[in-house]
Structure formats: structure tokens, C-alpha cells
Amino acid sequence: MKKTSTRLADGRELIYYDLRDDTVRDAVDRRPLERTHTTSEIRRDPLLGDQVAIASHRQGRTYHPPADQCPLCPTKGDRLSEIPDSSYDVVVFENRFPSLAGDSGRCEVVCFTSDHDASFASLTEEQAGLVLDAWTDRTSELSHLPSVEQVFCFENRGEEIGVTLGHPHGQIYAYPFTTPRTALMLRSLAAHKEATGGENLFDAVLARELADERVVLESEHWVAFVPYAAHWPYEVHLYPKRRVPDLLGLDEAARSEFPQVYLELLRRFDRIFGEGEPPTPYIAAWHQAPFGTLEEFEGVTRDDFALHLELFTIRRTSGKLKFLAGSESGMSVFINDVPPERAAERLREVAS
């Protein structure tokens, strides 16, 4: 992998990740852009104890542009985009309309390929491995920023999810706090460790899932399963078998095997609802240990956390979506219409 960092016309950082070491990246952003000004602010809810990002400048972000005006495609002639070069393998750049900025963190866009009509599932294993390298590198770099406590790499796929740019891409949020969902995991981790005299909860969950009927696929270094208490109609958790706190902790064997496993998982997702159905909308989310202090979670260290990816769709059956209505949105109590055992069975049925 070759990494080349440059700057866009408004001062934002852009980084090329290339498969070839001899690739030269010297294209200049020719757009007449003024420096970006954001109004991102973090406010804490005193009743729930969580944080809300107020980012009114995002109202003006790009919204469903036609394909020939996509800002994530390479620059071609007079059609100028966020990527100055005429081609690329993987690109990461600071979001022009970030939810988090400055002392409130940082938001980046990850373009998986220059092919507008592709998807992550259509990448080669080599391309998918390069995306993993980019995620890992950004996790390392962002973790050293003084304002950053947790790094979250994720992909939103499909208009049903709320995606406004059709080009295959994901995002990275670098939060200045430990996110509420991670805090819940850490509290459960701490409570289980105390109650069992030191047993790791992630290890216990993984052992139980490996012995149950909800395993979707398993390789030498990875296992994917539908969790016992799945929140979403089709939800799969992907774990490395050797517990590590973040992407940086993966060894070479696990890194080499990841593209094959993950691409197979994504391709199965696209086959859940049968031939002729539109691509399955999904969210793919990496859960990594925070880089900040864990003092409030007594007895827990970063090494107790288990890196894993959660992949789920809001489509519950052909042509029907799972909406977060009263119970889910109002009380955070999920109601799942698809039994996890049936979801796992279906994901095994559609193996390639």
C-alpha cells in the first residue's frame, strides 16, 4: 500500500491509498472553494447522559446529485469533484459537511472505488484488503488527535438507509467521547467480569454462539453469526476469533482472510430476498475500543474489549422495511419480526 496525503482547495486533507507503490498523485484541486466553516457543537442530555451533535451547516450538503455530477467520482476534464485525480483505488478525505469538527471531533469520507456503479460486494479481495488497510491507518492517525476518544468506521448503503450519494463509500467518525452504545457494552463487560471472577463477556458470548445454530459462516480466523437477541430482521456480527480491541490489533493472518469472509457475507445479504430484488440496504459498523480513559468502567481495560463488525438491514421482507416506531424510538425496546434462527438459516441458504 502507498499512502499520499494532499490538500483540497479549501484546506481539507485528502489521502490516496494505492495498491501500486509507483503511483504518483500530484493532481491539484482546481475548484474555487472557500475554506469550510462549520458550526458543530456537542450538547449533553442531562437526563439520558448522552451527547447530541448540533450541526446546522449540514442542511446545505449535496443531496442526490445525478450520476454525472457525483462529487465522489474522479475529476474528468472540466467536471471537477472532491477527488482531483482522474482515477484512484481508495480515497479518504475530510467531509465538507461534517457532523463533528475541530474540538468536537472529525468526520471523514472513505471512497471504496472510483467505479460509480460498483458496490463493496463487487470489489476484488485485493481492493477490499486495501479498504481494510485504509480503515486501520485512519484509526491509528485519528486516535492521536487530542480531541478524539473513539473512532468509528462504517458504511451506510442504500437510499432506504438515508444515503444521499450513490457512489460506493463509507465514513469515519472520530468522536470526542465514548459513544453511548460502547458505554453500554463496557458496563456489561465490567459487571460480568466482577460477577464471574474475571471471565470476559465477549469471549463467553462468542463461545456460546459458536456452539449454537445461528452461525452463518466460519473460517480459520473469523466467525459470523446472527446474535441470540438480534435487534434487526437480518443482523450479523462478524468477530475475529482472537480477541483484539481494534483494527490495529489484527494479525496478518486475520487481515489476509478478512476480504474473502466479508465479501461473501455482503454477497449473501444481496441474495436474502431473492432474484430481481433491488440491492439490500444495510449498515456495516465497526465497533472498536475507545482510546480514552476507561476509569468509569471499573476493572475494564482496552484489551477486554472485542473488535467486531455489526452488519444489518432495515428490510424485513420483500418490499417492506422495519421502521423504528413507538417502542423502538420512544423506549429503545426493539421488536424483531424475524426469529434470529430463521435469519441465520436464510443466510446459510444463500451461500455462493
Side-chain angles (χ1 to χ4, degrees):
M1 178 191 79
K2 181 180 180 181
K3 175 183 175 182
T4 306
S5 180
T6 185
R7 292 283 171 180
L8 297 173
D10 55 7
R12 288 176 294 131
E13 185 178 18
L14 180 143
I15 306 163
Y16 294 98
Y17 292 90
D18 287 295
L19 291 167
R20 291 175 56 96
D21 290 337
D22 59 353
T23 303
V24 176
R25 298 295 185 186
D26 55 7
V28 176
D29 185 3
R30 294 181 280 132
R31 296 173 298 170
L33 296 181
E34 296 181 358
R35 285 197 169 268
T36 302
H37 297 284
T38 63
T39 56
S40 181
E41 175 189 358
I42 302 296
R43 297 185 182 182
R44 182 179 182 277
D45 185 320
L47 295 179
L48 298 180
D50 59 7
Q51 294 83 4
V52 177
I54 309 297
S56 59
H57 62 277
R58 285 174 51 80
Q59 287 282 34
R61 65 187 184 274
T62 308
Y63 187 80
H64 291 299
D68 62 357
Q69 297 178 30
C70 175
L72 306 185
C73 287
T75 289
K76 297 288 187 182
D78 293 331
R79 191 188 75 176
L80 308 179
S81 75
E82 289 280 66
I83 296 90
D85 217 326
S86 58
S87 67
Y88 63 84
D89 291 337
V90 173
V91 163
V92 177
F93 61 88
E94 289 184 75
N95 198 321
R96 190 176 176 187
F97 303 97
S99 302
L100 309 166
D103 292 339
S104 297
R106 176 159 157 152
C107 292
E108 298 181 340
V109 177
V110 184
C111 297
F112 304 140
T113 170
S114 60
D115 184 354
H116 182 86
D117 298 317
S119 67
F120 201 117
S122 70
L123 299 181
T124 66
E125 290 185 17
E126 187 179 38
Q127 289 173 311
L130 184 61
V131 176
L132 177 62
D133 289 342
W135 282 333
T136 306
D137 180 71
R138 296 316 300 153
T139 295
S140 175
E141 292 292 324
L142 293 170
S143 71
H144 290 98
L145 296 180
S147 62
V148 171
E149 190 165 310
Q150 186 172 359
V151 179
F152 176 46
C153 306
F154 65 101
E155 180 191 1
N156 297 329
R157 194 272 190 99
E159 290 188 18
E160 300 95 326
I161 297 294
V163 175
T164 58
L165 296 176
H167 196 103
H169 73 288
Q171 299 181 65
I172 302 175
Y173 277 22
Y175 297 101
F177 50 80
T178 296
T179 61
R181 187 173 176 85
T182 303
L184 285 174
M185 293 185 200
L186 291 169
R187 291 190 192 101
S188 297
L189 193 61
H192 185 85
K193 191 173 186 179
E194 181 179 8
T196 59
E199 182 183 62
N200 183 279
L201 179 58
F202 284 110
D203 292 350
V205 167
L206 192 56
R208 184 177 77 170
E209 295 292 355
L210 278 166
D212 219 317
E213 59 183 310
R214 290 177 302 277
V215 172
V216 173
L217 63 87
E218 183 180 356
S219 66
E220 183 178 356
H221 302 287
W222 295 87
V223 60
F225 58 86
V226 178
Y228 172 75
H231 290 61
W232 299 94
Y234 290 91
E235 173 183 341
V236 176
H237 293 190
L238 177 63
Y239 278 71
K241 289 184 177 178
R242 183 179 69 88
R243 173 165 45 89
V244 295
D246 51 42
L247 290 166
L248 283 73
L250 292 174
D251 60 25
E252 191 54 42
R255 297 182 68 82
S256 296
E257 196 179 68
F258 170 78
Q260 178 185 359
V261 173
Y262 187 48
L263 290 173
E264 169 64 16
L265 198 54
L266 292 180
R267 290 162 186 166
R268 291 191 193 189
F269 253 60
D270 272 344
R271 293 194 289 266
I272 291 174
F273 304 103
E275 295 294 329
E277 287 291 317
T280 302
Y282 64 73
I283 293 175
W286 280 109
H287 291 264
Q288 306 191 80
F291 288 94
T293 176
L294 299 182
E295 291 178 358
E296 64 178 292
F297 309 103
E298 190 172 349
V300 171
T301 69
R302 288 193 80 249
D303 289 336
D304 290 321
F305 195 87
L307 166 77
H308 63 284
L309 181 140
E310 297 185 8
L311 172 69
F312 60 90
T313 179
I314 62 171
R315 187 180 292 165
R316 56 188 175 87
T317 190
S318 180
K320 297 179 181 178
L321 301 181
K322 163 65 178 176
F323 292 101
L324 299 190
S327 185
E328 292 90 352
S329 294
M331 284 291 148
S332 294
V333 178
F334 275 68
I335 301 170
N336 190 353
D337 300 324
V338 180
E341 292 73 21
R342 174 55 190 147
E345 181 182 14
R346 178 58 181 160
L347 285 162
R348 290 192 296 268
E349 289 174 350
V350 296
S352 58

